[in-house]
C-alpha cells in the first residue's frame, strides 16, 4: 500500500531528553538497526489493510503514553500481581491495537535484538498510522528508553473530553506544550470513534439552565441524542469523531466552526482568541494544519523518561 496524499515534512529537530541530558537523534539506529523504520511501517500497513481504525488507535495510544510519564511505553505494560497498569485505568479502557506494537517488536527483535525500545516503536508506528491515513509524515527523532513503572492511578492526569480551555492549557503547559501545540494535536481527533460517555455531558443535563450545551449545533445535538438516548448505557454506543474518521484531514476544524465539535474540549478551542484563530486557520488550510501537527508531534513525542530497552513491550526486564 502506498502512502496516499502524504505531505512529507523534513523536520530535522534535535530535542534533549528531559531525564538524562542526552539527545534524541534522527540517525540513532543507522548502524545498529538500519531497517527498523521499514519493519515498523510494514507492520502498521499490514494491520491497517485489515482494519483502517488501527490508525486512530495507535495515535491515541502514543498520546496517552506521552502524557503520563513521558513517551516511555509505560502504556504498553500489562498489569501484574497487585499492580494495575496504565492500560487498565478508566481513561484507557478503550485503548486497543496493542497487537500491532507486539508484532512490530517481534519483527524488530528478529532483525536486531535488544536494540530498539518499545517507546521508539510506538512513536514510529503512530507516525506511520497518520501518514498511511492520508496525513503528514515526519522524521521521528529516536533513542527513547522504556520505563519500568505503570500505574492505572496516574491516568487521571490525562486531559479529559470535558475539559475547558483553561484546564487544557494547564495540562499541556505542564508538559512543555503550548496553546499552538494544543490546537494542532487536538486535530488528531479527525481520526477515530468515541463512546457516548465522553460527550453525554453536552447533550443531557448540561447545567441548571440548559439541558443541552448552548455551544453545540442544535441539529447535531439531536442526532447525538438519537445515538445516546437517556437511560441507555449500551457499552459500545457512540459515533465517529468526524464523517471521514479513517482519513487524516482538517475536517475536525471545519466541524468546530459549525458547532459540531464532539467533545467539550473540542468546542472549547473557540473560547480563547489564540486557539480560535488557529482553528480558523487550520480549517482553511490543510497544509498549514499538517505542518503544525507534525511539528507538535515531534515536540510531544520527545518528552521522555525511560531507562531500559524492553525485550517484551508488555513486561519490564
Amino acid at each position: 500500500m502506498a502512502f496516499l496524499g502524504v505531505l512529507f515534512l523534513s523536520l530535522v529537530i534535535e530535542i534533549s531528553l528531559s531525564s538524562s541530558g542526552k539527545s534524541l537523534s534522527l540517525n540513532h539506529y543507522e548502524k545498529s538497526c538500519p531497517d527498523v523504520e521499514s519493519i515498523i511501517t510494514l507492520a502498521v500497513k499490514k494491520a491497517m489493510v485489515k482494519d483502517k481504525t488501527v490508525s486512530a488507535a495507535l495515535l491515541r495510544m502514543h498520546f496517552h503514553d506521552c502524557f503520563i510519564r513521558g513517551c516511555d511505553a509505560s502504556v504498553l505494560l500489562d498489569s501484574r500481581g497487585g499492580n494495575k497498569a496504565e492500560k487498565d485505568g478508566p481513561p484507557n479502557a478503550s485503548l486497543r491495537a496493542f497487537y500491532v506494537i507486539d508484532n512490530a517488536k517481534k519483527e524488530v527483535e528478529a532483525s536486531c535484538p535488544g536494540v530498539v525500545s518499545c517507546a521508539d516503536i510506538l512513536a514510529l508506528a503512530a507516525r506511520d498510522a497518520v501518514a498511511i491515513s492520508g496525513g503528514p509524515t515526519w522524521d521521528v527523532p529516536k533513542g527513547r528508553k522504556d520505563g519500568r513503572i505503570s500505574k492505572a492511578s496516574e491516568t487521571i492526569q490525562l486531559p479529559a473530553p470535558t475539559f475547558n480551555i483553561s484546564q487544557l492549557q494547564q495540562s499541556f503547559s505542564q508538559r512543555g506544550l503550548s496553546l499552538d501545540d494544543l490546537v494542532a494535536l487536538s486535530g488528531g481527533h479527525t481520526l477515530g470513534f468515541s463512546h457516548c460517555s465522553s460527550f453525554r455531558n453536552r447533550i443531557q443535563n448540561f447545567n441548571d439552565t440548559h439541558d443541552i450545551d448552548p455551544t453545540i449545533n442544535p441539529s447535531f445535538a439531536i442526532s447525538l441524542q438519537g445515538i445516546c438516548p437517556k437511560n441507555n448505557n449500551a457499552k459500545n454506543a457512540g459515533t465517529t469523531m468526524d464523517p471521514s474518521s479513517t482519513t487524516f484531514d482538517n475536517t475536525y476544524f471545519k466541524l468546530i466552526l459549525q458547532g459540531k465539535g464532539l467533545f467539550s474540549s473540542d468546542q472549547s478551542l473557540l473560547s480563547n482568541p489564540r486557539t480560535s484563530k488557529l482553528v480558523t486557520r487550520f480549517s482553511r488550510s490543510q497544509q498549514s494544519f499538517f505542518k503544525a501537527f507534525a511539528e507538535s508531534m515531534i515536540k510531544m513525542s520527545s518528552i521522555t523518561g525511560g531507562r531500559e530497552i524492553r525485550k517484551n513491550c508488555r513486561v519490564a526486564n
Side-chain angles (χ1 to χ4, degrees), residues 64-85:
H64 281 219
D65 180 43
C66 294
F67 258 62
I68 304 300
R69 290 178 165 266
C71 310
D72 66 346
S74 55
V75 75
L76 303 178
L77 289 169
D78 286 341
S79 296
R80 292 175 66 84
N83 180 64
K84 191 174 181 181

Side-chain angles (χ1 to χ4, degrees), residues 116-288:
V116 181
S117 67
C118 298
D120 275 348
I121 290 174
L122 181 52
L124 288 162
R127 186 274 310 272
D128 291 339
V130 169
I132 297 169
S133 299
T137 189
W138 55 91
D139 289 328
V140 176
K142 295 165 286 291
R144 295 164 190 79
K145 295 292 181 65
D146 298 325
R148 297 178 54 81
I149 299 171
S150 184
K151 298 180 179 180
S153 59
E154 294 182 347
T155 58
I156 194 173
Q157 300 173 31
L158 290 166
T162 56
F163 271 14
N164 59 36
I165 193 65
S166 296
Q167 292 169 312
L168 288 171
Q169 182 176 8
Q170 181 180 23
S171 178
F172 276 67
S173 65
Q174 287 173 345
R175 293 156 178 84
L177 299 171
S178 67
L179 280 175
D180 290 29
D181 297 318
L182 163 60
V183 179
L185 293 172
S186 293
H189 284 171
T190 189
L191 296 176
F193 175 94
S194 171
H195 293 100
C196 296
S197 57
S198 293
F199 58 85
R200 193 185 296 277
N201 67 299
R202 303 191 69 205
I203 58 173
Q204 295 166 8
N205 304 314
F206 179 68
N207 60 26
D208 293 338
T209 308
H210 300 92
D211 187 46
I212 297 173
D213 182 348
T215 67
I216 198 170
N217 180 292
S219 62
F220 183 53
I222 291 172
S223 70
L224 293 179
Q225 287 176 331
I227 295 168
C228 307
K230 287 184 177 180
N231 304 318
N232 184 336
N233 296 312
K235 185 176 181 180
N236 295 319
T239 187
T240 55
M241 296 301 295
D242 77 29
S244 56
S245 63
T246 59
T247 299
F248 195 95
D249 55 26
N250 67 337
T251 301
Y252 167 82
F253 297 104
K254 297 177 181 179
L255 292 173
I256 289 176
L257 293 176
Q258 298 169 23
K260 296 180 180 179
L262 191 58
F263 300 157
S264 296
S265 59
D266 296 325
Q267 204 61 46
S268 76
L269 297 181
L270 294 185
S271 64
N272 173 284
R274 175 63 185 171
T275 56
S276 179
K277 182 179 179 180
L278 287 169
V279 169
T280 300
R281 179 194 299 174
F282 294 157
S283 74
R284 294 173 177 171
S285 173
Q286 183 162 277
Q287 182 173 350
S288 178

Side-chain angles (χ1 to χ4, degrees), residues 59 130 136 138 184-185 187-188 248 289-297:
L59 180 58
V130 169
W138 55 91
L185 293 172
F248 195 95
F289 164 49
F290 279 10
K291 181 176 185 297
F293 184 82
E295 291 171 345
S296 293
M297 282 294 290

